[in-house]
Amino acid sequence: MSELVTGDAVVLGLRPAKLPSRALALVIDLVAVGTVFVLVSIGLAIATVTLDEAAVAAVSVATFLLVLVGVPIAVETLSHGRSLGKLACGLRVVRDDGGPIRFRHALVRGAMGVVEILATLGAVAAIASLVSARGRRLGDVFAGTLVVRERVPAGRAAAVPPPPPWLVGRFAGLDLSAVPDDLWLAVRQYLTRMHQLDAAVGRAMSERLAGELAARTGVPAPVGVPAAAFLAAVVNERQTRDARRAFAAAPAAAPPLPQPAPLPHLVPLPHYAPPTHPVPAPHPAPAQVAPVRPVGRDGGAADPGADAVRPSTGGFAPPA
């Protein structure tokens, strides 16, 4: 089944970098490294004024190796294949299997870069990249590496076409545990691109995939069912089982706890402040006394007018 899985079906989806983007990244790296080399050379020239010509030549060679060769190797090793130029252009150096590079990969690339980039001004590297199918220079060939693009526009994933309605649920009892992942990948790639294939090629590929799928499950395809419809129905059954397991594994949502009733809002009482000046107490109202009426000699009520008109003689008045 490995021959049916094309490069587009690889999960990594590595896309080799083209020569223009690699050349631009190389120019940025050379400018950065060249600037550092010039600054270091000026500083060493000032510091080695008193040395003889042999010492100056040794220092110059050491500076060349450390800056122009050692710095790119260290940067690619520590950044896992991303130098300043590659970072700006969205590139990365990876192994042939897609893994991150190590020091030995960066060392081989740097050593070969002295010959094919610095010594020949990049002519050998450009020719090797044009000849290679994946744009690799000699350093990549000897190191087993590849420069790929990281900034790839996200494409819309093609959905697997649904099976015919009369085949939905027909393979519910099929054992799919023995089907390997590469076969599922090949079936999915075929279903998403079967309309782009030639009719004869697509029919032959679907029959081959259906035969291998039937051999893995132990149940042959039903008579009269097209191979493409059989593949779509089996893939739909697997997706249904995966979705059922995913929903069954999800924990059930707990019922919400009752919220306590909100407490009544208490209005604070105003603070009482005693008056600053004493307030005089109110005087009690005089009690109302009923008038006393005079009593006559015979015990009856006396005429009030009689007392008013009787002159006062003063002294003792004898009884009549």
Side-chain angles (χ1 to χ4, degrees):
M1 288 309 306
S2 59
E3 67 274 11
L4 293 176
V5 183
T6 62
D8 295 336
V10 178
V11 179
L12 295 175
L14 300 179
R15 296 191 178 184
K18 302 299 182 180
L19 181 59
S21 59
R22 294 191 60 178
L24 178 59
L26 179 60
V27 170
I28 296 175
D29 291 336
L30 289 178
V31 170
V33 175
T35 303
V36 175
F37 177 74
V38 170
L39 295 178
V40 173
S41 299
I42 293 175
L44 291 178
I46 297 175
T48 58
V49 174
T50 59
L51 299 179
D52 54 0
E53 295 181 0
V56 172
V59 171
S60 300
V61 173
T63 304
F64 174 82
L65 294 177
L66 291 177
V67 176
L68 295 183
V69 181
V71 169
I73 294 175
V75 170
E76 285 192 356
T77 303
L78 296 178
S79 63
H80 299 289
R82 300 185 68 183
S83 61
L84 181 61
K86 293 181 178 62
L87 180 63
C89 297
L91 307 180
R92 181 190 288 271
V93 183
V94 297
R95 300 196 307 263
D96 285 337
D97 58 355
I101 64 173
R102 301 183 182 276
F103 172 72
R104 60 184 181 87
H105 303 96
L107 179 60
V108 175
R109 282 176 48 84
M112 293 300 299
V114 175
V115 178
E116 60 178 338
I117 295 178
L118 298 180
T120 61
L121 300 179
V124 176
I127 295 174
S129 298
L130 291 175
V131 173
S132 175
R134 295 190 291 178
R136 301 199 300 176
R137 61 181 179 89
L138 295 181
D140 295 321
V141 175
F142 286 102
T145 57
L146 177 67
V147 180
V148 298
R149 290 186 296 169
E150 285 190 323
R151 299 174 188 170
V152 179
R156 186 175 180 180
V160 177
W166 51 276
L167 282 179
V168 176
R170 185 172 179 179
F171 304 99
L174 203 62
D175 184 13
L176 304 178
S177 59
V179 181
D181 292 338
D182 57 348
L183 181 56
W184 286 121
L185 181 60
V187 172
R188 180 182 178 86
Q189 290 297 318
Y190 165 75
L191 292 176
T192 55
R193 299 182 181 182
M194 62 181 180
H195 299 292
Q196 304 174 4
L197 302 175
D198 182 72
V201 175
R203 188 182 310 106
M205 186 175 293
S206 64
E207 291 176 356
R208 181 178 180 181
L209 291 173
E212 295 192 11
L213 188 60
R216 295 287 183 175
T217 57
V219 178
V223 180
V225 177
F230 170 70
L231 296 175
V234 175
V235 171
N236 179 265
E237 176 62 27
R238 186 195 180 190
Q239 294 176 348
T240 303
R241 295 182 185 181
D242 293 342
R244 190 182 301 115
R245 283 194 297 266
F247 283 109
L257 298 177
Q259 298 293 335
L263 298 176
H265 182 66
L266 300 179
V267 179
L269 297 176
H271 180 68
Y272 173 76
T276 56
H277 300 285
V279 180
H283 296 282
Q288 299 294 332
V289 180
V292 179
R293 302 185 64 178
V295 182
R297 292 184 179 92
D298 54 358
D303 186 8
D307 294 336
V309 299
R310 181 180 297 174
S312 176
T313 56
F316 175 78

